[in-house]
Amino acid sequence: MERKLATVLFVDLVGSTSFVAIADPEVVRRRVNRFFDQVSHCIALHGGMVEKFAGDAVMAAFGVPRAHEDDAERAVRAALATMESVVDLGLECRIGIESGEVVVDDAESTFATGEAVNVAARLQQAAKPGQILIGPGTHGLTAGRLDLEELGPFELRGREEPLATWHVLGASRNGAHARTNVTVRFVAREEELELLHNTFARAVRNGRAHLFTVYGEPGVGKSRLAAEFVAGLEGATVLTGRALPYGEGITYWPLAEMVKTAAGISDDDPVKEAVLKLRACCEDEAVADLLGLASGVLEAVEAERSQQEIAWAAREFFEQLAAAQPIVLVFEDIHWAEEPLLELIEHLAAWVREAPLMLLCLARAELLDVHPSWGGGSVRATAIELEPLAPEESEELVDALVESGTLSPALRRALFDKTEGNPLFLEETVRALDECGEALVDRIPDTLHALIASRIDRLGSDQKALLQRAAVIGRTFWAGAMRHLAQDLDVDAVLDDLLLRDFVQREARSTITGERAFRFKHVLIREVAYSGLSKSARAGHHERFAGWLRERAGEELLEIRAYHLDQAAALLAELDGVAPRALAAEAAAALEQAGRRALAREANRSGRTLLVRAVELEPTLPRRFHAARAAWRLSDFPAVSAEMELVREAAEQSGEGATEGRALTALADVALLHEADLPRARALAMRALEVLDGEASEARYDALGVLSTIAWWVGDLSEAERQTRASLEMARDLGRKDLEGGAAHGLAYLYIERLEHEKARPLIERGNELAEESGSIVHRAWARRGVADLHLLLGQLDEAEPALEDARALFEEAGAETHRARSLMLLGEVAARRGDLPRAERLLRDSIRVLKAVGDRGTLCESQRRLAQVLVRLGRVEEAELVALESRRTVGPHDQSSRSTTRLALALVRAAQGRDVEAEALLREALEVLEGTDFRLTEIEPLEALVQFLVERDRGDEAEPFARRLLELVPAGKLAAVLEASAAPIA
């Protein structure tokens, strides 16, 4: 069975019933037989095949069993010839034609089924006597070649949507075609090539990274331009990687190709050997390990590291290589790349500042649909779009392709009109002309799909079969895999023939030792070849190739194997309603492992997709948990709520305590952050600890973290300290420096809030030590934030600001948006204290913009209320009122500290508006909210504001008790610094 792009034609004799009634039977018989003979002759003359006779109707197909590049036009010309011939017989007929994908039983069959068959039949029924109607498929394939009358949409029986139709009036004729001999050389693009070399020279001269993106439609010459550029480089290391079109679970595939090439690693190298090669190539073992995770060299999925750390490792690695000589990284087909890879490339472009690095990215314009800001924020980013060749450049390319230059002027003009300056279209069209000759080619093909399909169908059966099976593997394939998929063929001989015919090319490097690698010359050749396979054949080849991968490359290419197993299962499920149980189980296991690997690299969206699919194929409790866990990481709170509840129920029933505990913790986090339901969050977290039964684990650490946050919200810092100390001890028991650093920072901030800076200092110092030991960007950022927090407490703005700038830069480098936004907020506070209100406003608005995107309500309301206070000081009171009211809507009902500070901000607005009664009430409420809590640092701001409010209104006696409370919180010697750090004076 085979799928083909074909054109179907239905011819029906008009008025045959009345003709039979008035004519002699023998006359009728002879006239009808001549009708059928004439129709068959016209169809055969134009390269079609009569499939069947049904009553007075004839069905014919063009493109089966063999495709031509102009099957749609051939069908229309056959229809026009038929109309002329039946008129000579004194008869009338009506014809319907449509093109589209059909299924035939085998390569030699003409029996076709598909929508095009049904539509062509309906068009024939709708046509008037003597009329030829075509549908949108045929219209698209014959654009510019026919004289048409547009009839508009028709309501056709059996179709829900109206169908656009055209009446064929006639067809044009092409001139004679000359045979061509095809050669290929690089033409035109001199300016683009020069720009590439100039950009590389700048990167070398300045020792800075430069991002260069080449956009263009398929076949316009992006890869050829890059190849010519690379070929002309001297004294540079060039590494190339390609984003694969199916994407899931292979986030860092292009990076892996580059790293493995640089380190000399083959995909089938044993893990230990691959690790040794990688570490020998890297100066830093931590960098090697992170790159090992990203490239699949290390198999452990539980050693989770963030995509930001992987980006940092890639930067260190390429900077090291660039120390020897300039580096050019060529990323092909990045329109298929996943977001983490795109962010990694932008990270390299932004942060490599002392190494000659050029990042050359090739993409279709679709990249900007998924990543509109690509390259837009960098001053060292260049983008060009390759336009179709100009007419004179097309002429030059055709002259290069046709050595004899014997194309007729008419054919040359038709060639340029059809291909519209697309180099690949030009090249493939000339090849088609050369292979089939002018006697078999009446016109230039309308689409590249039709052109390539016609070339493929002209291959021998062995060559075509091998090409289609290779297409199952992907753009790149291996000779060994082909021997496995095509055991009935002489693979080496067939491959040599395909090389000579320029369908495939040899790859310079194979990622599997001992295997010759090949690639399709263009991705569209691969896509057309793949589309010709029936779904049942695709499924079988996908499954067999997955088996070969398992034997040949082990788990190194797990993500690729998972993709092929999933494709096989999905195709068979579509055909039979359900995938075979064994195949579904194997695919689900591979998808689960690939998904967990993706989570280990912080490729959370890919991990989520893979794990959800694994659950669909074969639901198990671990798979359901990990799929929900991926949603948790993505802050998809509705999905977490629904899925984790099902996981919790199943885990409880099966006695899986660890899984139940982790599910309960996730549900507690959702209840707190998304629903602001503190009582339910506390109950769920407490239940999680009960279920986990005292076992030291990351799950228990997370549950303690939720309880600590709950205690923070209500202002019970003693309870928060108890939970955080328990987390700290657990982290130490687990030997997890990352968890220990997080707990140490949390404990230090508790002491800062209680104005106990002496206790906070050693914890911050310990956090610095842990950050240095871990080498983590995020840990270093937290350490600098801790230093800044301590300096802010003491009013040491000159020391706090650079620490905050360091923290902001590190969080930005790590992609930790929430924490970057909080650093922006605190920098805005520093600017406000110094009186630089415009800068404070800019920083706070930046913070709000980020926080609204990520949905952190607790930090967002704090940035909003600070902005309102700055706007009051700028005299923009009406705007300040809107922002202050918004902060009141944002704050959670149990977030006591922010319930106080947002009242404070609105009080300042009301005072500036002269609404003193409301202002005083809000200030007193701000203090009442904090009664019974441990929020000492937070209490200073509304206290100082209320004292100033009363004093400025000659109510000093009423202010006295609040002033005394200020002195209780802060010794007199430090009061000035603390007051400087408090709220702005009321206007």
Side-chain angles (χ1 to χ4, degrees), residues 107 114 116 212 218 243 249 404 535 620 805 821 826 883 916 922 941 962:
F212 198 115
S404 62
K535 291 184 177 180
T620 65
E805 288 286 6
L826 295 176
V883 178
D916 283 5
L922 285 164
E941 212 173 347
F962 301 106

Coordinates of all heavy atoms in Angstrom, one line a residue, residues 107 114 116 212 218 243 249 404 535 620 805 821 826 883 916 922 941 962:
A107 N 2.6 -0.4 -5.5 CA 3.2 0.5 -6.4 C 2.7 0.3 -7.8 O 2.8 1.3 -8.6 CB 4.7 0.3 -6.4
G114 N -9.6 8.0 -1.5 CA -9.2 9.2 -0.8 C -10.2 10.3 -1.1 O -11.1 10.1 -1.9
A116 N -9.9 13.0 -2.6 CA -9.9 13.6 -4.0 C -10.8 12.7 -4.9 O -11.4 13.3 -5.8 CB -8.4 13.5 -4.6
F212 N 24.3 35.9 14.3 CA 24.0 36.1 12.9 C 22.9 35.1 12.5 O 23.1 33.9 12.5 CB 25.2 36.0 12.0 CG 25.1 36.7 10.6 CD1 25.8 37.7 10.3 CD2 24.1 36.2 9.7 CE1 25.7 38.3 9.0 CE2 24.0 36.8 8.5 CZ 24.8 37.9 8.1
P218 N 12.1 27.5 2.6 CA 12.8 26.2 2.2 C 13.3 26.3 0.8 O 12.6 26.7 -0.1 CB 11.7 25.2 2.3 CG 10.7 25.7 3.3 CD 10.7 27.2 3.1
A243 N 18.7 21.4 14.6 CA 17.5 21.1 15.4 C 16.6 20.1 14.6 O 16.4 20.4 13.4 CB 16.7 22.3 15.7
G249 N 11.8 16.1 23.5 CA 12.7 15.4 24.3 C 14.2 15.4 23.8 O 15.0 14.8 24.4
S404 N 25.1 22.6 -21.4 CA 25.0 22.9 -22.8 C 24.3 24.2 -23.2 O 24.4 24.7 -24.3 CB 24.3 21.7 -23.5 OG 23.0 21.6 -23.0
K535 N 0.4 4.3 6.2 CA 0.6 4.5 7.6 C 1.0 3.1 8.2 O 1.8 3.1 9.2 CB -0.7 5.0 8.2 CG -1.0 6.5 7.9 CD -2.2 7.0 8.6 CE -2.4 8.5 8.2 NZ -3.5 9.1 8.9
T620 N 0.8 4.4 34.5 CA 1.3 3.9 35.8 C 1.4 5.0 36.8 O 1.4 6.2 36.4 CB 2.6 3.2 35.6 OG1 3.6 4.2 35.3 CG2 2.6 2.1 34.5
E805 N 23.1 44.5 42.3 CA 23.4 44.5 40.9 C 24.0 43.1 40.5 O 23.7 42.5 39.5 CB 24.3 45.6 40.5 CG 23.7 47.0 40.6 CD 22.8 47.2 39.4 OE1 22.5 46.3 38.6 OE2 22.3 48.4 39.2
A821 N 13.3 39.8 39.4 CA 12.3 40.8 39.6 C 12.4 41.4 41.0 O 12.2 42.6 41.2 CB 10.9 40.3 39.3
L826 N 14.2 45.7 44.8 CA 15.0 46.2 45.9 C 16.0 47.3 45.3 O 16.3 48.3 46.1 CB 15.8 45.1 46.5 CG 15.0 44.1 47.3 CD1 15.8 42.9 47.8 CD2 14.2 44.7 48.4
V883 N -2.4 52.4 41.2 CA -1.4 51.3 41.5 C -1.6 50.8 42.9 O -1.5 49.6 43.2 CB 0.0 51.9 41.3 CG1 1.1 50.8 41.6 CG2 0.2 52.3 39.9
D916 N -7.3 62.9 55.1 CA -6.6 62.6 56.3 C -7.3 61.5 57.2 O -6.6 60.6 57.8 CB -6.4 63.8 57.2 CG -5.3 64.7 56.6 OD1 -4.7 64.4 55.5 OD2 -4.9 65.7 57.3
L922 N -6.0 54.0 57.7 CA -5.2 52.9 57.0 C -3.9 52.7 57.7 O -3.4 51.6 57.8 CB -5.0 53.4 55.6 CG -6.2 53.2 54.6 CD1 -6.0 54.0 53.3 CD2 -6.4 51.8 54.3
E941 N 8.2 50.6 59.0 CA 7.8 51.6 58.0 C 6.4 52.2 58.4 O 6.3 53.5 58.3 CB 7.7 50.8 56.7 CG 8.0 51.7 55.5 CD 8.0 51.0 54.2 OE1 8.1 49.7 54.2 OE2 8.0 51.6 53.1
F962 N 4.1 55.7 69.7 CA 4.6 55.0 68.5 C 6.1 55.3 68.3 O 6.8 54.4 67.8 CB 3.8 55.5 67.3 CG 2.3 55.2 67.3 CD1 1.4 56.3 67.6 CD2 1.8 53.9 67.2 CE1 0.0 56.0 67.7 CE2 0.5 53.7 67.3 CZ -0.4 54.7 67.5

